[in-house]
Amino acid sequence: KNEVEQSPQNLTAQEGEFITINCSYSVGISALHWLQQHPGGGIVSLFMLSSGKKKHGRLIATINIQEKHSSLHITASHPRDSAVYICAVSDSQSSGDKLTFGTGTRLAVRP
Amino acid sequence: NAGVTQTPKFRILKIGQSMTLQCTQDMNHNYMYWYRQDPGMGLKLIYYSVGAGITDKGEVPNGYNVSRSTTEDFPLRLELAAPSQTSVYFCASSWGQASYNEQFFGPGTRLTVL
């Protein structure tokens, strides 16, 4: 069973700072997902990647398959980025139908 | 499109009561999932379905049942509520396998069992 660990668990930043959230997993994967959980509880998918790097607006996600590690970067952070960021992996040793989730990184961006 | 909808948003149950959490999606997705989220823990898969008439257990299925009679609906049934089932429940859907498709989540149902 894949173990997914995120760091840090909590992060406070000042508006405008560059933010990095890390995700490590223990077993080879088919894909890695980054999700955002809003303060109200809703969850949205940000990225799905299996190699390299993806960028959407101020968000950048990278993955290193050999090191079993992914990072989510937020450039020019804003208070509206305050949320819980969740990493999830699809295990290539299983059918691929299911995700294993990390416990999340709680980000607070202060104005 | 409404996406994934869940009802109710909140519910308080007494021990031993039963209830059904409703989930509907209007994106014609084949795959649907039920997760629970406990404080400080990652989302855990309860049950999932890869199409109408097909369901399978996830990581934490005990105390729950599901059915998938249509593509759109995937209700989750709690038969004898226990305090351990106090949690936030999320329904999600995707077009295909998690390895190749993003999942779309409903707004969640906060359930308290007293």
Side-chain angles (χ1 to χ4, degrees):
Chain A
K1 184 181 182 297
N2 223 328
E3 300 292 332
V4 180
E5 293 194 2
Q6 291 185 235
S7 63
Q9 287 188 318
N10 294 283
L11 181 58
T12 301
Q14 287 298 126
E15 183 173 357
E17 285 185 357
F18 181 86
I19 290 163
T20 297
I21 298 170
N22 298 297
C23 175
S24 297
Y25 51 92
S26 58
V27 180
I29 62 171
S30 302
L32 184 141
H33 298 243
W34 280 104
L35 305 156
Q36 180 191 54
Q37 185 166 24
H38 300 295
I43 300 173
V44 295
S45 177
L46 297 175
F47 293 103
M48 184 183 67
L49 64 167
S50 55
S51 64
K53 176 179 173 179
K54 285 191 175 181
K55 184 175 189 288
H56 184 256
R58 294 179 295 105
L59 301 178
I60 304 166
T62 64
I63 187 168
N64 185 318
I65 296 296
Q66 287 73 30
E67 294 186 3
K68 297 186 177 62
H69 181 268
S70 175
S71 293
L72 177 68
H73 305 286
I74 305 175
T75 62
S77 59
H78 189 276
R80 64 175 175 266
D81 297 325
S82 298
V84 176
Y85 292 84
I86 301 170
C87 171
V89 299
S90 172
D91 192 339
S92 58
Q93 293 182 358
S94 75
S95 65
D97 291 343
K98 300 175 284 292
L99 292 176
T100 301
F101 293 82
T103 56
T105 294
R106 186 175 299 275
L107 171 65
V109 181
R110 294 183 174 164
Chain B
N1 287 350
V4 180
T5 58
Q6 291 182 238
T7 57
K9 286 187 169 54
F10 304 94
R11 184 73 185 268
I12 298 174
L13 284 182
K14 294 183 179 178
I15 294 172
Q17 286 186 319
S18 300
M19 77 164 294
T20 299
L21 282 67
Q22 301 291 346
C23 175
T24 300
Q25 53 91 9
D26 63 358
M27 296 173 282
N28 202 32
H29 285 168
N30 294 315
Y31 286 56
M32 295 188 74
Y33 309 84
W34 274 106
Y35 298 100
R36 59 177 287 171
Q37 185 179 42
D38 300 318
M41 306 288 287
L43 288 151
K44 302 285 188 189
L45 181 65
I46 305 171
Y47 271 95
Y48 69 103
S49 168
V50 301
I54 305 169
T55 63
D56 206 350
K57 296 178 181 178
E59 189 179 357
V60 290
N62 291 346
Y64 307 94
N65 276 300
V66 293
S67 59
R68 184 96 182 269
S69 56
T70 67
T71 299
E72 295 79 19
D73 299 308
F74 191 40
L76 178 71
R77 179 82 176 161
L78 282 72
E79 288 295 347
L80 293 170
S84 60
Q85 293 177 306
T86 294
S87 189
V88 181
Y89 291 84
F90 288 96
C91 179
S93 72
S94 65
W95 192 86
Q97 289 184 336
S99 296
Y100 308 105
N101 299 272
E102 66 175 313
Q103 293 189 9
F104 294 80
F105 287 78
T109 295
R110 185 175 295 274
L111 175 67
T112 303
V113 182
L114 300 174

